[in-house]
Amino acid sequence: MEYDYLIVGSGLFGSILAYEMTKKGKKCIVIEKRDHIGGNVYTENTENINVHKYGAHIFHTNNREVWDYINQFADFNRYTNSPVANYKGELYNLPFNMNTFYQMWGVKTPAEAKAKIEEQKDEFKIENPQNLEEQAISLIGKDIYEKLVKGYTEKQWGRKCEELPAFIIKRLPVRYTFDNNYFNDLYQGIPIGGYTKIIEKMLDGIEVKLNTDFFDDKEKWTSIADKIIFTGMIDQYFDYCYGELEYRGLDFEFETLDMENYQGNAVINYTDAETPYTRIIEHKHFESSESAKTIITREYPKTWSKGEEAYYPMNDEKNSELFKRYQELADKEGNVIFGGRLGMYQYFDMWQVIDEALKLVNELK
């Protein structure tokens, strides 16, 4: 074989594998169907602003090993994610905390906030939440659910909240302190200079082919390396033989504005159902970039269809069962290893992608 490893995809997972295997003396080649490296963490410098081209990527983790690992490639600033919710012109702090409760009800103490939420929960008497709507109301009551959860979530997932699994809403923290720190992880920030510089360091000296789709010549690519690290869609690899897994798609609308500050925050969520986008990102606030202009992105979730870019999986019961069937096929592919969000069909945060990649590196030793 010409190579020890063919890595399909140059996102975090693939780039880490290429970097680590090359360090161990293995000959690697990376192929990437897009015209740039970095996958969805790709950033592009425009007007002295590092623009997150595929949505906001805010690094956070409690895993010291992961934090130390990624910091060898970049210095991180102390950015703390504190998004704001806009509901028909009303502004609320996120995550749900005492600031949110004061803005919603005028309550000023944790006891008052808890009493208000308990009062609303008692109206519904939900003991065993069966879907996202019931889970949300049992956590934060009707008012916050209807203004800050329902519309945003239904836009994001393309389904009614009653049709979504309850576990999705468990990602949202509820706090009885005046704390707008969304993640509350020990380590968090944005790499100074953007994520692309991290990937460039990982892939330095490694053969990379851009604008190269694995599926345009699958026979060729599967014959040039002893092992394949595949980070694309697992169902596509097997030619959708059991049917298509469901994913969510995204569209991004970029606008450069002739002003220094458009919205005063990096991320503002639009939580009403009528606004077609879920959020506006103002990129310069991630790194406090100095520029006479600003760049914003409106993010539009959409139904994914074959041939489009898949951004995250729909991990409901039906798709999870279908994925298990593909996983059984994957386990029989002796020289192919599936990784990343699409290869493992998991809604991973960045730190989890790194953690999974490092676990695989250890296994391959």
Side-chain angles (χ1 to χ4, degrees):
M1 291 290 185
E2 190 176 352
Y3 300 92
D4 295 301
Y5 287 93
L6 165 71
I7 292 100
V8 182
S10 66
L12 270 175
F13 193 96
S15 296
I16 290 171
L17 264 295
Y19 174 78
E20 292 295 334
M21 291 301 104
T22 300
K23 276 203 312 183
K24 297 180 190 310
K26 303 299 183 182
K27 188 178 182 183
C28 299
I29 180 173
V30 178
I31 61 172
E32 169 59 58
K33 67 179 181 180
R34 293 174 176 170
D35 62 0
H36 60 74
I37 58 172
N40 289 345
V41 302
Y42 174 69
T43 51
E44 184 177 273
N45 191 278
T46 306
E47 300 288 349
N48 199 41
I49 300 167
N50 290 310
V51 178
H52 297 214
K53 297 296 284 188
Y54 300 97
H57 282 78
I58 301 154
F59 200 92
H60 61 98
T61 184
N62 280 316
N63 186 311
R64 179 62 182 268
E65 180 186 358
V66 167
W67 180 246
D68 287 345
Y69 183 83
I70 199 67
N71 270 262
Q72 69 181 302
F73 302 103
D75 292 324
F76 280 68
N77 67 16
R78 296 181 61 186
Y79 178 82
T80 299
N81 189 31
S82 301
V84 172
N86 183 318
Y87 177 78
K88 299 183 178 180
E90 300 172 8
L91 299 181
Y92 299 91
N93 288 108
L94 297 175
F96 307 135
N97 69 84
M98 285 302 300
N99 290 306
T100 322
F101 307 145
Y102 174 74
Q103 292 153 349
M104 184 71 65
W105 301 308
V107 296
K108 298 177 182 178
T109 68
E112 290 174 335
K114 287 181 180 179
K116 187 68 176 177
I117 290 174
E118 288 302 320
E119 174 190 322
Q120 295 199 351
K121 287 164 60 175
D122 286 346
E123 292 180 34
F124 294 86
K125 295 181 172 54
I126 300 168
E127 294 184 7
N128 184 22
Q130 297 299 305
N131 55 52
L132 189 147
E133 178 172 276
E134 293 181 356
Q135 178 69 44
I137 292 173
S138 69
L139 280 174
I140 40 80
K142 180 182 177 184
D143 290 348
I144 291 178
Y145 165 69
E146 291 190 341
K147 284 192 173 184
L148 304 184
V149 176
K150 181 177 170 64
Y152 183 93
T153 304
E154 291 183 348
K155 286 188 292 186
Q156 184 180 28
W157 293 99
R159 294 183 184 174
K160 296 294 184 184
C161 287
E162 307 95 287
E163 301 169 3
L164 289 166
F167 74 82
I168 293 176
I169 205 69
K170 291 178 182 177
R171 290 170 58 92
L172 297 178
V174 179
R175 302 195 189 110
Y176 292 97
T177 56
F178 290 90
D179 180 7
N180 298 326
N181 180 353
Y182 192 88
F183 294 121
N184 211 30
D185 285 332
L186 185 58
Y187 311 107
Q188 52 187 307
I190 302 286
I192 298 169
Y195 286 95
T196 301
K197 289 188 175 182
I198 291 176
I199 304 299
E200 287 174 346
K201 288 183 179 180
M202 289 180 178
L203 298 180
D204 184 36
I206 298 171
E207 185 177 354
V208 178
K209 291 186 179 294
L210 302 177
N211 300 302
T212 302
D213 193 326
F214 174 80
F215 294 102
D216 286 344
D217 198 345
K218 185 176 179 180
E219 185 176 347
K220 168 191 170 182
W221 294 117
T222 52
S223 67
I224 67 167
D226 287 328
K227 283 191 176 293
I228 298 171
I229 308 296
F230 184 81
T231 68
M233 298 184 297
I234 188 171
D235 54 338
Q236 184 182 17
Y237 182 88
F238 292 109
D239 200 25
Y240 308 103
C241 63
Y242 293 139
E244 295 177 26
L245 290 164
E246 289 183 271
Y247 304 87
R248 286 298 283 166
L250 292 170
D251 279 333
F252 302 99
E253 178 183 277
F254 296 90
E255 187 174 0
T256 301
L257 302 173
D258 195 17
M259 62 177 71
E260 290 190 2
N261 191 351
Y262 174 71
Q263 64 184 17
N265 204 48
V267 181
I268 294 186
N269 294 346
Y270 286 77
T271 60
D272 62 283
E274 292 75 22
T275 303
Y277 44 85
T278 49
R279 57 184 179 175
I280 294 180
I281 301 161
E282 188 168 9
H283 301 268
K284 71 188 310 179
H285 296 306
F286 289 131
E287 299 182 60
S288 301
S289 306
E290 293 186 8
S291 177
K293 297 187 178 183
T294 193
I295 298 172
I296 64 171
T297 303
R298 296 177 183 87
E299 192 170 305
Y300 297 83
K302 66 176 185 179
T303 301
W304 175 86
S305 57
K306 194 186 293 186
E308 296 179 333
E309 198 66 50
Y311 284 92
Y312 49 91
M314 296 283 289
N315 291 122
D316 58 13
E317 186 175 348
K318 182 187 77 171
N319 283 289
S320 295
E321 287 300 315
L322 181 56
F323 169 68
K324 285 180 183 177
R325 300 182 68 189
Y326 281 115
Q327 184 64 60
E328 289 171 1
L329 287 181
D331 291 341
K332 297 173 185 176
E333 292 281 306
N335 69 329
V336 184
I337 302 168
F338 296 83
R341 266 191 180 188
L342 304 182
M344 300 173 78
Y345 202 68
Q346 291 284 324
Y347 193 102
F348 286 137
D349 287 327
M350 283 182 288
W351 80 266
Q352 293 170 306
V353 172
I354 295 170
D355 189 47
E356 290 294 330
L358 294 179
K359 287 177 184 175
L360 177 57
V361 168
N362 287 330
E363 289 175 16
L364 292 174
K365 284 180 180 178

